[in-house]
Amino acid sequence: MWPVILYGERIELRPPHIRDKKQWDNVRAENKEWLTPWEATFPHLPDGAEIIEGLPKKNSFRQMVKGLHINARMGTSYSFFIWRNENLIGQITLGGVMFGALRAGHIGYWIDRNYANQGYTTEAVEVLTRFAFDALYLHRIEINIRPENEASCRVAEKAGFEFEG
């Protein structure tokens, strides 16, 4: 099943590749201020404590891509870069995938500010949601949103998600 490319009307969701590093670095650098308020961060730990013993505190792009592919092959998380033609415009992940009685996962995403408010993120959520329900047969999908992130709340609403919490 992995790797898989997912297609929308205007975008493609492609697994990340090492060859994408230059575009990734450029987009992330150009959007640092735009994304920083919404980025997940590691919790503060006492001096000397590590989140997981033996893992590097900061992964290289190569390590990140390798890890994303391992997770997808294990069926625990599926990460895609969002492409508009040949432009890398964001990333979307279906993570925390669980199988069994509760077949569920959660979606997280970011978008280049130059492509924000044009429906690309909503389209990416819709495409990934179809994949989750139709190919993985999940029962429930959540989008983890910070409530003050109004733009992200609108994406979830336009994609047909219901607010809970």
Side-chain angles (χ1 to χ4, degrees):
M1 170 159 235
W2 190 258
V4 62
I5 298 174
L6 306 177
Y7 299 92
E9 289 185 29
R10 302 176 301 150
I11 60 168
E12 289 182 5
L13 305 183
R14 299 184 210 155
H17 293 285
I18 301 301
R19 66 179 174 261
D20 301 328
K21 184 181 186 325
K22 184 176 180 180
Q23 282 200 56
W24 164 269
D25 287 344
N26 290 341
V27 171
R28 294 295 297 187
E30 290 172 11
N31 286 275
K32 185 173 181 169
E33 286 183 34
W34 163 259
L35 297 173
T36 296
W38 316 116
E39 294 278 274
T41 58
F42 287 110
H44 175 72
L45 298 173
D47 289 341
E50 291 189 35
I51 293 175
I52 299 176
E53 190 68 33
L55 288 181
K57 293 190 190 266
K58 185 174 182 181
N59 287 337
S60 69
F61 184 81
R62 180 179 294 279
Q63 290 169 314
M64 178 189 78
V65 169
K66 182 178 178 184
L68 294 176
H69 283 279
I70 289 169
N71 291 340
R73 284 192 292 278
M74 289 180 10
T76 60
S77 181
Y78 300 87
S79 290
F80 298 90
F81 287 170
I82 305 169
W83 294 89
R84 170 76 173 134
N85 300 318
E86 293 308 312
N87 297 311
L88 173 61
I89 66 170
Q91 182 174 350
I92 188 165
T93 300
L94 173 65
V97 176
M98 296 181 292
F99 295 100
L102 172 64
R103 298 178 67 92
H106 56 81
I107 292 177
Y109 46 78
W110 62 266
I111 192 80
D112 179 332
R113 75 173 151 222
N114 296 309
Y115 293 88
N117 300 311
Q118 298 176 48
Y120 295 114
T121 310
T122 302
E123 185 176 344
V125 167
E126 292 169 343
V127 169
L128 188 55
T129 299
R130 264 194 322 274
F131 170 74
F133 286 138
D134 297 346
L136 302 177
Y137 304 106
L138 298 187
H139 301 148
R140 179 180 178 86
I141 301 168
E142 300 175 8
I143 299 178
N144 297 329
I145 301 172
R146 292 177 51 168
E148 67 273 21
N149 188 339
E150 294 176 12
S152 198
C153 290
R154 281 193 311 276
V155 166
E157 184 179 353
K158 289 189 305 184
F161 283 73
E162 295 180 18
F163 178 76
E164 293 182 9

